[in-house]
Amino acid sequence: MAPKKNAAAAAPVAPPTTQIPTTTTIPSSTPVKIPSRSSSQNQSPQQVAIGIWQNYLDKTPQRTKLIDVFMSFLVVVGVLQFVYCILAGNYPFNAFLSGFSATVGQFVLTASLRIQTNEENKAEFNSVSPERAFADYVFGSLILHFFCVNFIN
Amino acid sequence: MVAKTQEPFFQGSTGKNSRGVLRIVILCLIAGAAIASRLFSVIRFESIIHEFDPWFNFRATKYLVSHGFYDFWDWFDDRTWHPLGRVTGGTLYPGLMVTSGVIYHALRALTIPVDIRNICVLLAPGFSGLTAFATYLFTNEMSTSPSAGLLAAIFMGIAPGYISRSVAGSYDNEAIAIFLLVFTFYLWIKAIKLGSAFWGALCALFYGYMVSAWGGYVFITNLIPLHVFVLVCMGRFSPRVYVSYCTWYALGTLASMQIPFVGFLPIRSSEHMSALGVFGLLQLVGFVEFVRSGVPSKQFATLLRGFVLAVFAISFGGLVLLTVSGVIAPWTGRFYSLWDTGYAKIHIPIIASVSEHQPTAWPAYFFDLNLLIWLFPAGVYLCFLKLADEQVFVVVYAILASYFSGVMVRLMLTLTPIVCVAAALALSNILDTYLTFKSPEEPTQATAADGSTNGATKKAAKQEELRSMRQPLVGIYAAFSKISVVTAMTTYLLIFVLHCTWVTSNAYSSPSVVLASRMPDGSQHIIDDYREAYQWLRQNTKEDAKIMSWWDYGYQIGGMADRPTLVDNNTWNNTHIATVGKAMSSREEVSYPIMRQHEVDYVLVVFGGLLGYSGDDINKFLWMVRIAEGIWPDEVKERDFFTERGEYRVDDGATQTMKDSLMYKMSYYNYNSLFPPGQAQDRVRGVKMPEVGPVLNTVEEAFTSENWIIRIYKVKDLDNVGRDHASAASFERGNKKKKTTKKRGPKVLRVE
């Protein structure tokens, strides 16, 4: 649980998904495309965060931002459920689980959609067009919600 | 390699079509071979369910077909585990029953009414054809060679390691589980190659189906995370990995939780924690990769990597802490005994008592896999040469499954698919190399030829002295070497087919319900005592007469005799089994109250002394004693059943405890009467029995089958005038008390 929560907790700072360096598949030696704003070597963490944020605002297309808003909404819902579970106990455990895993699953599926539709990842997914990615997303979400509704009783 | 032949038939678009037709024909033939080689037992004997476990599956399927799905889902079975009953809907994997129920109704709808028994008997051969096809698809993902998939399919179709659990009549969970296993892995490879959420979701769906079919799904939940973890450690994290794994995990875990038997296990038990941990790790790695792509400084990147490691270590520690504190259930005994191989023998005798849970001997590998077992390492080595994502999977699977199959005979089954795949990879590589008609260009010795290749080779030639480095293109030039290697390989393959057929026919195609033996003139003699006895029970006892027997026969009694039992093969309640073990291994005076308390009407024992049938209850008796001793250490002692010198004897030299035990008495009751005086012989133990047979007071013989394999005893009612059974019986026999006993015994005060 801990790693997931961690990723979720960091979400408000920057959108919590992966975005992979453009050129290589092996990320060990990444020739990172250096963003225009943040150039100098030694920066304070605050500057770095601001730089990332500005960069994000500038570079990200409108649609991806929409996805990110949805994802942060999911994170908020998930965290709320979790907090409520801690405060009030987990008596109908299946209900908590289906609610919580609905948000987690939807978050993960949306993240997948975001990755697949990202222009920078074109090389990775040469067989998945954005339309196909969206259809996959719908398919996965339908299954997810069927299971969640079935599990919540 | 068909594609490289010179004939115009195989060239161009017509060639493509004819290759496709050829491929379909070959696959159909493979499916036919897979099905046909599993029918030995049906043709030789009859179409019945074989072993112990399948009888319960068959009974549950009949219940499903006659009562409908919802009744089956919450079926409380009051005819097993007599005083307790069993919540069957919540304690079984329903996939097998539902599958055959669907087939039954589909055939009905097509106006082909087939008996449910025949569907159950022939389900495993049918699915083995599908397994061969799934292996074909799986191997095609691994290799570009056109022959690899087909070779893997035929290997999987007839390899005895898989046939042993899927002959016609073995209606067990493995029948469909291996197909689902291979197909899930195929979908997983497809998902990770394409990075597609669709294939990931399909993989999750089939994983859910697999969970509903077999408890071995734990293997998948640990293998796929392990694959991903190895990929991440190799620095091969990519968005494809994230998409496929996260889709699979999110949907697959929810799908697996729909099965009532699994329930909350995927988040509560240690077996599933690796999948959850890798899920968390992937979120972390994905997030860090995202941040790093926007960050300029190198130090910050290393800092992030350190952050990943730290969080991973902390959460791993947290997991261990949770397990120790008991929030997460620790390994179950069955699973734990895979790691600590001595654990089961010491702590849980009931796991160690099953013959399938023993370590595998070397010959078993060759017996079950013949030539595949020595092609297997070569295939894994080839995967190392071309180490893409899917080859890593093969390597991980091969290592894990080899270890498990070495620990437990039963897990040979999960090893077989990967052995077939790896062997097919190796063999197709050999065939592709040696079957090309076109020889590569003869390199001339002159320097001009060297110069014509390219500059880089020439440069290398100067630096390296090795000839193979100078001429990177290694080819086979002589027709002789090609022909000899191909002939040898073909011969091996033909021998493989012979071996498989022989093994299947001789070792794996005998129903345990019917014992077959050969007469001196070669004709077959069938010993059918089991069904004789069960049929007697079915027809001559009350509808709700409770039968007590050792747990091995519980399912068969429930299935064939249709009578309630005390314990059965689903060993969920160890104490209850120990109760039966105590009743069997104690004196009559101790056993009788136990049997009365459990409302036992009949006791059934299996005795092979007359026929030399070694799997009888006297040979299993020590396990009963051990299991009973685990619960009542001061009432049942294993030591008492051995002689002074530590021998386990049943003849004159047997200990008094042994002779007094209910099991001994019931097995050898009246056995002397079969032989001339003083010559009673036990053919299993190979000893001469004592002159005087045991005397039974509390039970009476109700039925003994033709060859004395099954003996059924009826538990007597309480004595009418309140004597204990021993004195009542001795009174009946006319052992008069001595007249002279005027002396009164010590008096006791009447309380009432």
Side-chain angles (χ1 to χ4, degrees), chain A residues 1-4 6-7 10 14-21 25-28 30 32-35 38 40-41 43 48 52 55-56 90 93-94 97 101 104-105 107-109 111-112 114-116 121 124-125 127-128 132 136 139-140 143-144 147-148 150-151, chain B residues 193-199 201-202 205 234-240 242-244 246-247 250-251 254-255 257-258 263-264 267-268 276-277 279-287 289-300 305 307 311-312 314-315 319:
Chain A
M1 276 324 236
K4 211 229 101 267
N6 221 309
T17 43
T18 60
Q19 198 174 35
I20 287 310
T25 41
I26 302 154
S28 55
T30 43
V32 180
K33 217 197 305 182
I34 295 172
S38 48
S40 71
Q41 280 292 332
Q43 292 170 314
V48 171
I52 293 172
N55 195 26
Y56 168 74
N90 60 2
F93 193 48
N94 58 336
L97 264 189
S101 48
V104 171
F107 176 84
V108 170
L109 286 174
S112 301
R114 189 190 193 282
I115 291 173
Q116 285 175 326
N121 290 329
E124 283 282 331
F125 302 98
S127 69
V128 184
R132 171 68 193 267
D136 288 358
F139 177 70
I143 294 175
L144 178 79
F147 282 145
C148 285
N150 191 30
F151 196 59
Chain B
K193 267 173 110 175
L194 298 179
S196 150
F198 172 70
W199 289 98
L202 273 190
L205 283 183
M234 287 168 82
R236 284 176 177 232
F237 174 80
S238 70
R240 285 179 289 114
Y242 181 89
V243 170
S244 48
C246 291
T247 318
L251 297 179
L254 266 176
M257 287 196 293
Q258 313 292 317
F264 298 135
I267 42 168
R268 283 262 167 93
L276 183 63
F279 182 68
L281 178 73
L282 271 193
Q283 308 300 325
L284 203 66
V285 172
F287 175 64
E289 289 288 336
F290 171 70
V291 172
R292 206 172 64 168
S293 68
V295 168
S297 86
K298 198 105 185 196
Q299 290 99 332
F300 196 67
R305 182 165 289 181
F307 170 69
V311 171
F312 185 68
I314 288 170
S315 51
L319 236 137

Side-chain angles (χ1 to χ4, degrees), chain B residues 573-629:
Chain B
N573 190 332
N574 193 26
T575 316
H576 209 50
I577 291 177
T579 309
V580 173
K582 185 185 172 192
M584 293 286 197
S585 56
S586 304
R587 287 176 295 119
E588 274 188 88
E589 300 85 72
V590 181
S591 310
Y592 185 72
I594 297 177
M595 294 194 284
R596 288 294 296 184
Q597 280 162 3
H598 291 86
E599 300 175 338
V600 175
D601 295 304
Y602 292 92
V603 186
L604 180 148
V605 292
V606 175
F607 174 64
L610 182 62
L611 212 64
Y613 171 62
S614 61
D616 67 350
D617 276 347
I618 294 287
N619 280 358
K620 291 174 188 166
F621 189 44
L622 281 181
W623 286 111
M624 304 185 202
V625 174
R626 276 173 208 154
I627 290 168
E629 192 182 7

Side-chain angles (χ1 to χ4, degrees), chain B residues 28 31 45 56 61 119 144 148 180 231 243 260 267 318 328 332 353 370 420 509 543 545 570 654 673:
Chain B
C28 288
F45 303 101
F56 169 72
T61 314
I119 290 174
T144 52
L180 293 171
L231 285 182
V243 170
I267 42 168
I328 295 171
T332 55
S353 76
N370 197 6
C420 291
S509 297
E543 185 73 13
N570 170 287
S673 66

